[in-house]
Amino acid sequence: MRELPPAARGLVLCTVLAALACAAPVLLDPATAAATAATSAPAAFRPSAAVLALLCLGCELARARPLPGRRAGGAPEGTGPFFPVLLAAVFLLPPAAAALTALPGGLAGPAGRPAAAVRRIWHAAQQAVAAWAAGWTFALLGGPAALPGGTDPAAPVTADFPYALLPAAAAAAAFCLVLTALDGAVLAAAERRPARSAWRGLLSRSLGPYCVQGVAGLMMAVLWRSPYGLPAALLVLLPLYVSARVLGRYHRERAAHQATVRALVQAVDIKDRYTRGHGERVGQASAMIARELGMTGDRLETVRIAGILHDIGKLGVPTRLLRKAGPLTPQERRVIELHPEYGHEMVRGIGFLGEARAAILHHHERVDGSGYPYGLTGEQIPVAARVVAVADAFDAMTSTRSYSRARPVPAALAELERCAGAQFDPAMVRALVDAVGRYGWHPVVTADADLPPAAPGTSALPGIPAQPREAAQPREAAQPREAAQGRKAAPAAAAEGGDGP
């Protein structure tokens, strides 16, 4: 708990207190809790509440502690039978009882480190508050009366379809809204991120899945109230469990793909210690640009992977060329310029990369048509390639190389702005400038710890100037070295991005 910022600790504490307040009525006065929500009598809902609480607990224990021979995890948060069972509790029980039902499963669920205990308490509390809000939404829209049996023992045994779908959908939406609101709030408080960034995309990604789970929960509630009772309701959990297992396998395979990507990037890094971590940093900068452009979900991840893998083709370039400290001959230059095509061939069979393959092939194209390998111009260059081109040049300028020292971040951004419209897409440059201005540049991987000591008056740390003139004269500080190496110096030293030996 001490690792969390004060604002995050306060939010967790307030949420826990709210969860206790939501569940307290059913413990202190069950009759009033049932009557207020217009649900069944206390004697009727208590056994159901106990069974549903045990089911929630069992679902989370099964996810956290799988059967022998099975691996834990894999499926993302919010999949499996837990949430349909919890939403069934929302439909069958008073709101306070539904909140209480959420607590055991939330406390037993898997939680990452650090602060695993705090994470479990947080999950249990937010789920209890969300279940309480969803329960009241369902009750206020007349949902209990639409279920078999309803609030009248003489009511028919069939559900009031399609009306029952309306309060159920509204309850699932309320449940999703509360969860995503709390998730975004704790993310903003714990990571000190702007609220807009923390909440961006949470609701849109979650609403559909939670509504589907709400339908499954409604099916379970209807069968629970039918003459077939609990055994029929439990049958709903079987396909949910199977689908969670399939989804978990998919995510494990995706994790294996990501591990393969990391292994390929490390193989490139080993070739040149001066570019160690370059792919990870370009992926990080590419993701910052993509977020600023409004990309989310799978496309954002694809652009990030494109940045990580953009130089994978250097595995096909002789190591002696990548590490060469002297000038490159025209023939050597042509060999190095083949690496985008090598990279494209290497990843052609990896289906999940999608748009990233085009970015790997075209990340050295220039908007004025003077790039390579095909000399594409403007909109002919894929969007992801234009993003990676800017991120690649930015990291090349802010990292120490065998042929140039790291520049300060402001100087690198100024150079990108100067080259916008000729070498880079101005929209991509503007997005990076805005993102760095808003969040700063904090590379997750750096190579400078392994570099030799810098010469007197220079700095080996990206983005930290050694002398004021380094920022005042960014081109003059790097271009003579570029020319000596046989590289293109115009329109900027950034033109070659991460391609130096």
Side-chain angles (χ1 to χ4, degrees), residues 206-297:
S206 304
L207 185 59
Y210 278 116
C211 285
V212 172
Q213 291 170 343
V215 173
L218 180 62
M219 292 172 57
M220 189 173 179
V222 169
L223 290 172
W224 192 297
R225 289 278 185 88
S226 73
Y228 304 102
L230 177 60
L234 292 178
L235 291 176
V236 177
L237 301 182
L238 181 60
L240 295 174
Y241 179 74
V242 172
S243 64
R245 290 286 301 277
V246 172
L247 191 58
R249 181 176 180 179
Y250 162 75
H251 279 267
R252 286 193 295 272
E253 290 177 351
R254 185 172 180 179
H257 284 307
Q258 291 173 344
T260 302
V261 167
R262 287 193 296 270
L264 291 171
V265 172
Q266 288 171 359
V268 176
D269 290 347
I270 289 172
K271 281 201 152 193
D272 185 2
R273 60 178 178 158
Y274 280 94
T275 60
R276 187 169 300 163
H278 173 63
E280 296 285 353
R281 294 191 300 272
V282 173
Q284 181 182 354
S286 297
M288 292 175 66
I289 297 172
R291 285 194 193 95
E292 202 67 26
L293 295 173
M295 298 183 192
T296 58

Side-chain angles (χ1 to χ4, degrees), residues 39-429:
T39 58
S40 54
F45 78 72
R46 276 178 173 171
S48 297
V51 173
L52 287 165
L54 288 175
L55 284 174
C56 288
L57 177 61
C59 291
E60 287 298 84
L61 288 176
R63 191 160 70 96
R65 301 169 183 83
L67 296 173
R70 302 292 184 182
R71 285 185 292 175
E77 182 80 17
T79 60
F82 172 73
F83 282 108
V85 171
L86 184 53
L87 288 169
V90 166
F91 303 145
L92 292 168
L93 305 175
L100 185 63
T101 300
L103 293 177
L107 291 172
R113 295 182 181 274
V118 176
R119 290 172 186 268
R120 288 191 177 94
I121 293 172
W122 165 254
H123 288 316
Q126 70 169 162
Q127 288 163 10
V129 173
W132 180 85
W136 274 110
T137 302
F138 188 70
L140 292 174
L141 292 177
L147 295 180
T151 58
D152 183 359
V157 295
T158 58
D160 184 7
F161 282 114
Y163 176 75
L165 293 172
L166 175 62
F175 186 85
C176 175
L177 184 62
V178 173
L179 282 184
T180 53
L182 291 173
D183 278 336
V186 77
L187 191 62
E191 299 184 3
R192 297 183 176 90
R193 291 170 54 179
R196 177 185 173 188
S197 171
W199 271 301
R200 179 184 296 167
L202 282 179
L203 184 61
S204 61
R205 291 195 303 268
S206 304
L207 185 59
Y210 278 116
C211 285
V212 172
Q213 291 170 343
V215 173
L218 180 62
M219 292 172 57
M220 189 173 179
V222 169
L223 290 172
W224 192 297
R225 289 278 185 88
S226 73
Y228 304 102
L230 177 60
L234 292 178
L235 291 176
V236 177
L237 301 182
L238 181 60
L240 295 174
Y241 179 74
V242 172
S243 64
R245 290 286 301 277
V246 172
L247 191 58
R249 181 176 180 179
Y250 162 75
H251 279 267
R252 286 193 295 272
E253 290 177 351
R254 185 172 180 179
H257 284 307
Q258 291 173 344
T260 302
V261 167
R262 287 193 296 270
L264 291 171
V265 172
Q266 288 171 359
V268 176
D269 290 347
I270 289 172
K271 281 201 152 193
D272 185 2
R273 60 178 178 158
Y274 280 94
T275 60
R276 187 169 300 163
H278 173 63
E280 296 285 353
R281 294 191 300 272
V282 173
Q284 181 182 354
S286 297
M288 292 175 66
I289 297 172
R291 285 194 193 95
E292 202 67 26
L293 295 173
M295 298 183 192
T296 58
D298 289 342
R299 194 175 190 202
L300 173 62
E301 179 66 7
T302 298
V303 172
R304 187 185 73 85
I305 292 177
I308 292 173
L309 287 179
H310 74 286
D311 273 345
I312 192 64
K314 286 185 177 178
L315 289 175
V317 177
T319 303
R320 62 179 179 80
L321 295 184
L322 297 177
R323 294 185 177 181
K324 186 176 181 180
L328 293 173
T329 67
Q331 182 179 3
E332 290 171 337
R333 163 59 56 187
R334 286 194 294 271
V335 171
I336 285 185
E337 289 183 354
L338 289 173
H339 82 271
E341 295 173 275
Y342 290 159
H344 185 259
E345 287 298 317
M346 289 178 183
V347 301
R348 174 177 288 181
I350 304 179
F352 77 92
L353 288 180
E355 190 180 3
R357 294 194 294 269
I360 292 169
L361 178 62
H362 296 296
H363 71 277
H364 279 295
E365 303 285 2
R366 297 161 51 114
V367 295
D368 62 3
S370 61
Y372 61 88
Y374 300 129
L376 303 183
T377 62
E379 296 296 324
Q380 293 178 332
I381 306 171
V383 173
R386 283 179 268 156
V387 170
V388 172
V390 173
D392 184 23
F394 175 70
D395 182 67
M397 287 189 288
T398 56
S399 301
T400 296
R401 300 297 181 89
S402 61
Y403 53 86
S404 66
R405 295 189 300 271
R407 298 189 192 185
V409 169
L413 294 176
E415 185 70 8
L416 290 174
E417 289 180 315
R418 192 184 69 82
C419 298
Q423 180 176 352
F424 306 113
D425 186 330
M428 310 306 170
V429 174

Side-chain angles (χ1 to χ4, degrees), residues 460-485:
L461 296 177
I464 300 181
Q467 299 178 4
R469 68 181 180 87
E470 184 77 17
Q473 299 178 339
R475 293 183 64 202
E476 289 76 8
Q479 280 186 355
R481 183 66 172 173
E482 287 289 323
Q485 299 261 10

